[in-house]
Structures are given as C-alpha cells and as structure tokens.
C-alpha cells in the first residue's frame, strides 16, 4: 500500500460520491413521479377527447342545437321532464329530430346507464304467424310459429331498466294498438309461445308525425291509447320555422363530417349560405345533415361552395330562379351559380380588388366589371 495514501481523503470522496448518488436517486424518483403524473393527465385528456369525438361521429345526444324561441321551448320542456318517469309523446314532421330528442331525454334521465331501444312501428314486416308487432315487442320462444327456429328476445326485454322508444306509433294496426295499450297499463308481457308472465321496467317515449286527433276521429287510432301516450307532449318544429338555426346546425354537421371523413373544412362560402337560407327544407334537419355530408364529400377546398351542395339546392337566389319540376336546376342556373361562387371567392382572396381578382382568374377588367355588376357583387 502506498505510504502517502490519505485514507481520510478517500473516505471523504466516497461519502461525497454516495451523497451525489443518493441525491441523483431522489431527483430521479421525483422526475419519474412528475412524468407519471404528466402521462396520466395526457392519457385522461386523450380519452376525454376521443370520447367527445366518438359522440360527435356517432351522433350521441348532447345539447339540442338552436337559438330560436321554438328550440328554447323544446330545451326547457326536455329539462323539465327528463328526470321523471312520465310517458312522453314527441310530435313533429319527418326529419325534425324526434329520435335525437328521445335519446337526449334518455341521457338526462336516471336510466342513462341502461339501454335505449328503438321499435320502428312503421317498418314492421309481417313475420310467419302474422304477429310481427308482438314478436318484435315481446319476443318469442322456439317453435312459437313456423320459422321460429330459436328464442328471440323482444324490444321490451332488451330495454329493461332503460327507455323504449316507439317510433311512428301512429302506423300500428288496430290489433297491435290493443296489445300496446295492455302493455303500457301494467308493463307485463309474455313471449309468444310461452305462458310465463314477465314485467319490463321501461320508460316509454313514443313519436309520430301524423295527426293523431284526426286518426281518432276516423277510427284508425285508439283514443284510450292516445291518452296513455300523451301524458306529456313535446312538439319539434320544422326547420323552415327556425331559419336562424340553419347555420348553427350546418357548422355542427361540418365538424361531424370533418371527423367522420378526415376533412379540414373551415366554413361555408357566402353563396352556399344564401342557398341554405333560401331553401324550404321539406326534409327538415335530416335533409340538412345529408346536404352537408354531400357537400363535405364533394368539396376539395377548405370551404363548402355553392356548387358543392346537392342539385336540389342549386338555384340562383339572386335571380329567383326556381327548380325544374323534375327536381333538377336548369343548366343556366347551375352555370351562373358556379360562376358567381368563383368570382365571390376570388374577390374575398383579393380583399375586394376587382383588378387583382380578374388577373387571378385571367379575366379582362371590362369582363370582370360586367360579371361583378351582373351578380350584384360590387
């Protein structure tokens, strides 16, 4: 061993090294804790964002969109009745959002964790045995009728603990109305082919676009069934009655389609807005959603242009040109609409400078002035 070795110095160096290692270990633990928390927060935020995106893409219910007095009334009624167990009747024309409203009520109720089950009364096909309504609502046992090869669980049983939505209930035949009335009265039923009585803990929401009062007068709908369903009534207005909500809905659907199709559409062009606002919307909100989906698929721009909208909307709102009887706009109307759209967007890009817009479009100043005057863009 070297004579000049200073053990005290060595011990001090070792102690300092151990202290450094300990401090590094403590700092490493702190860093690991910080990183763990950061990753957990990121994961939670990511999951929340994914859930929001799923809700938009899948059309999950949320706030009923609209600022008009009519939609404010609907929202107030939904909030008022959602937490109760009352049977509801939703009325409104096709495409006004009756199913969406029913889903919203379900999500705001104490039954939101349980199933929301739809029975489309207007689409029941005649099954072997002639009991399509009973088969779909109550289910059946194997061998209950020719073609019943296995047990089938009905909508009432599927909806146990949740909400049963009877869509277009006015289309039920008389015999089915009687069976439905009996079920509403005590929520009891038996599967076809079985004598076992079961109970279904379900809340019932029905909808119709037809005038039930007239059907009652004609003897086509049971008055006592109407009173059972009409405990509380909400009317969904036509889109034509709430024109100022059109752009709010359009923006919502653009966001939905951006997610669905991976698009990056930012806005509607001015001519497209004109077309949306001037159209009479016989198909209501459902038609508007279909039009926006069509336009999102058609456009290659960050904006939806007038010529991206479906042919049924292709009409020159400034000239008052109407659609042809067969439902297609005239060629002149389509060309004018397309030309006006291109000019409008070019003027926007160039801050309203007609000369710059004309150069961009390779149009002479004289022709540019003529076109701007023709379409009232000046």
């Amino acid at each position: 061993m070297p004579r000049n070795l200073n053990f005290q110095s060595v011990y001090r160096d070792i102690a300092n090294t151990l202290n450094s290692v300990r401090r590094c270990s403590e700092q490493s633990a702190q860093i690991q804790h910080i990183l763990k928390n950061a990753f957990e927060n990121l994961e939670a935020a990511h999951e929340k964002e994914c859930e929001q995106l799923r809700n938009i893409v899948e059309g999950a219910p949320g706030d009923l969109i609209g600022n008009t007095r009519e939609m404010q009334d609907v929202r107030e009624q939904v909030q008022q009745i959602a937490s109760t167990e009352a049977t509801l009747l939703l009325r409104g024309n096709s495409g006004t959002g009756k199913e969406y409203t029913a889903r919203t009520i379900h999500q705001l109720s104490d039954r939101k964790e349980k199933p929301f089950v739809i029975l489309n009364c207007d689409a029941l096909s005649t099954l072997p045995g002639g009991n399509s309504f009973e088969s779909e609502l109550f289910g059946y046992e194997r061998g209950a009728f020719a073609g019943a090869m296995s047990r089938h669980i009905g909508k009432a049983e599927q909806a146990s603990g949740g909400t049963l939505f009877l869509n277009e209930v006015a289309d039920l035949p008389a015999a089915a109305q009687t069976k439905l009335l009996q079920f509403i009265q005590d929520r009891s039923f038996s599967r076809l082919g079985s004598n076992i009585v079961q109970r279904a803990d379900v809340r019932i929401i029905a909808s119709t676009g037809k005038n039930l009062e007239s059907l009652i007068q004609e003897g086509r709908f049971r008055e006592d069934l109407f009173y059972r369903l009409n405990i509380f009534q909400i009317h969904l207005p036509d889109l034509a009655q709430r024109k100022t909500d059109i752009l709010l809905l359009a923006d919502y659907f653009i966001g939905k389609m951006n997610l669905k199709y991976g698009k990056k559409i930012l806005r509607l062009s001015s001519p497209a807005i004109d077309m949306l606002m001037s159209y009479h919307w016989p198909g209501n909100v459902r038609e508007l959603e279909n039009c926006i989906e069509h336009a999102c698929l058609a456009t290659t721009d960050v904006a939806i242009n007038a010529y991206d909208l479906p042919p049924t909307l292709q009409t020159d709102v400034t000239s008052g040109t109407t659609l042809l009887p067969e439902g297609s706009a005239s060629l002149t109307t389509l060309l004018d609409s397309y030309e006006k759209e291109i000019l409008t967007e070019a003027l926007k890009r160039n801050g309203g400078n007609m000369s710059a817009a004309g150069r961009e479009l390779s149009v002479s100043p004289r022709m540019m002035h003529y076109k701007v005057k023709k379409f009232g863009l000046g």
Side-chain angles (χ1 to χ4, degrees), residues 86-296:
T87 300
L88 302 177
L89 180 61
L90 303 180
R91 304 186 72 167
N93 289 322
S94 178
T96 50
K98 297 188 290 293
E99 181 184 329
Y100 183 90
T101 303
R103 287 185 182 275
T104 300
I105 292 169
H106 173 74
Q107 287 295 321
L108 293 173
S109 75
D110 294 336
R111 295 175 176 266
K112 63 183 178 181
E113 302 300 329
K114 297 297 183 178
F116 177 86
V117 177
I118 302 172
L119 177 59
N120 288 311
C121 301
D122 60 342
L124 293 174
S125 58
T126 302
L127 299 175
N131 296 305
S132 58
F133 175 75
E134 290 181 79
S135 299
E136 288 301 302
L137 182 59
F138 304 138
Y140 53 82
E141 299 288 349
R142 179 181 178 182
F145 49 82
M149 305 303 294
S150 61
R151 171 183 288 177
H152 172 72
I153 303 300
K155 301 291 188 182
E157 205 168 341
Q158 293 174 31
S160 181
T163 301
L164 177 63
F165 179 52
L166 304 172
N167 192 28
E168 299 301 340
V169 71
D171 292 325
L172 287 175
Q177 291 177 31
T178 301
K179 294 292 184 181
L180 177 59
L181 178 62
Q182 294 170 351
F183 173 68
I184 292 174
Q185 287 173 341
D186 57 15
R187 300 296 199 274
S188 65
F189 68 96
S190 296
R191 297 193 197 108
L192 291 179
S194 171
N195 293 322
I196 300 175
V197 178
Q198 301 186 64
R199 285 188 57 79
D201 174 24
V202 296
R203 182 187 192 174
I204 293 176
I205 301 178
S207 78
T208 183
K210 296 185 177 179
N211 188 323
L212 291 179
E213 291 81 1
S214 296
L215 294 179
I216 291 170
Q217 291 296 321
E218 297 168 9
R220 295 165 54 193
F221 197 84
R222 292 185 61 125
E223 188 173 14
D224 48 1
L225 176 57
F226 171 73
Y227 289 132
R228 286 285 183 179
L229 294 172
N230 196 38
I231 302 299
F232 193 93
Q233 183 180 134
I234 298 176
H235 177 76
L236 281 301
D238 289 342
L239 187 57
Q241 296 176 254
R242 40 186 293 230
K243 286 266 187 175
T244 54
D245 290 337
I246 289 174
L247 298 185
L248 287 175
L249 289 162
D251 284 341
Y252 170 78
F253 292 136
I254 288 172
K256 180 177 178 179
M257 299 311 160
N258 278 341
L259 293 168
K260 185 175 181 179
Y261 296 113
K263 293 275 192 170
K264 295 181 180 179
I265 300 166
L266 302 178
R267 62 184 177 86
L268 291 158
S269 69
S270 296
I273 291 173
D274 290 340
M275 284 191 177
L276 293 175
M277 295 301 293
S278 65
Y279 187 57
H280 60 296
W281 299 109
N284 291 299
V285 178
R286 185 185 300 128
E287 184 182 12
L288 174 60
E289 180 174 9
N290 291 341
C291 287
I292 296 299
E293 183 168 11
H294 172 99
C296 287

